[in-house]
Amino acid sequence: MIVDARRSPISEIFFFVQCLSGFIVHSITTGACSLAAVFAMHAYGRLEVLMQWIEHLVDGREDLCDNVDERLAMIVQQHVRILHFITLTDKMLREISMVEILGCTLSMCFLGYFVITEWERKDMTSYVTYVVLYTSLTFNIFILCYIGELVAEKCKKIGEKSYMIDWHRLSGRKGLDLILMIAVSNTSIKLTAGNLFELSLSTFGDVVKTSVAYLNMLRTLTT
């Protein structure tokens, strides 16, 4: 009602603004997912190395310290550094993840309704477009949640590996030193979206169920 976008050069201006805004939005989304994947895989690799150190805590290894106390101190120090790195990653990505989760959830809710609407109208072009968009948004949320799930599961395996080694062969009461590391692993830091939603596969399932529930509500109100 303000301007007639069908006329030139207003049509070209609006088309350019739309392309530019789409490029910015999708670049931010791609950058956020790439950063989350790189940082998560870095933490995952460091946790894998830490598990190898824990496995050789009792008997030692050629490239590790000869003293059990020194090996244990090195393992604990490395574990603390990894948890601190995961905390920094969560602080850096929690706002971006929050916007991505909420935005994709709302878009999936409306896209599901548009898919059913276009199916009833027999407009296959719009129908295929909405289905592709819905699938793309689903994968965006799945990538973030799967990354968080990998980091959380690997942190828990540190406690399992600490218990599965031959800790009973440690001299004196040194085996008790592993209790604290096991306790920290069971309550380890997780990647979150805005410090409200935990990035995990269960969160992904909740998002999908929410979009389907909202779709059913819209169908009930419009029929």
Side-chain angles (χ1 to χ4, degrees), residues 180-194:
L180 181 59
M181 189 160 57
I182 295 174
V184 172
S185 300
N186 292 331
T187 58
S188 60
I189 303 169
K190 300 179 178 64
L191 298 180
T192 61

Side-chain angles (χ1 to χ4, degrees), residues 56-215:
H56 295 85
L57 172 63
V58 180
D59 297 327
R61 201 172 60 182
E62 293 182 358
D63 56 342
L64 294 177
C65 303
D66 297 331
N67 193 345
V68 176
D69 294 332
E70 293 180 358
R71 289 197 295 267
L72 183 59
M74 183 176 60
I75 290 172
V76 172
Q77 184 181 19
Q78 182 70 8
H79 191 206
V80 172
R81 288 181 177 178
I82 295 173
L83 294 180
H84 181 64
F85 176 78
I86 296 175
T87 303
L88 293 177
T89 302
D90 177 58
K91 289 181 179 180
M92 184 181 66
L93 297 176
R94 62 176 55 172
E95 289 83 6
I96 300 176
S97 301
M98 182 70 176
V99 173
E100 187 69 18
I101 293 292
L102 292 181
C104 289
T105 302
L106 292 176
S107 299
M108 288 170 62
C109 293
F110 289 108
L111 282 174
Y113 175 74
F114 293 152
V115 166
I116 294 180
T117 303
E118 297 301 329
W119 177 260
E120 294 175 353
R121 295 177 181 177
K122 305 300 181 180
D123 189 355
M124 294 305 298
T125 302
S126 300
Y127 177 78
V128 173
T129 301
Y130 291 141
V131 169
V132 171
L133 288 174
Y134 188 90
T135 305
S136 175
L137 294 176
T138 304
F139 270 103
N140 287 346
I141 299 179
F142 177 76
I143 290 172
L144 291 175
C145 293
Y146 183 69
I147 289 171
E149 184 74 16
L150 283 179
V151 175
E153 287 296 323
K154 203 63 177 180
C155 289
K156 291 181 180 179
K157 287 185 178 181
I158 295 296
E160 297 178 3
K161 177 63 70 172
S162 300
Y163 180 77
M164 295 303 295
I165 64 174
D166 297 335
W167 52 267
H168 51 85
R169 292 171 49 196
L170 296 174
S171 60
R173 301 173 61 86
K174 294 180 181 180
L176 297 177
D177 298 334
L178 297 174
I179 296 178
L180 181 59
M181 189 160 57
I182 295 174
V184 172
S185 300
N186 292 331
T187 58
S188 60
I189 303 169
K190 300 179 178 64
L191 298 180
T192 61
N195 208 20
L196 296 176
F197 308 105
E198 177 185 340
L199 294 181
S200 62
L201 294 181
S202 61
T203 302
F204 172 74
D206 293 337
V207 169
V208 175
K209 288 187 291 185
T210 301
S211 63
V212 174
Y214 187 76
L215 171 62

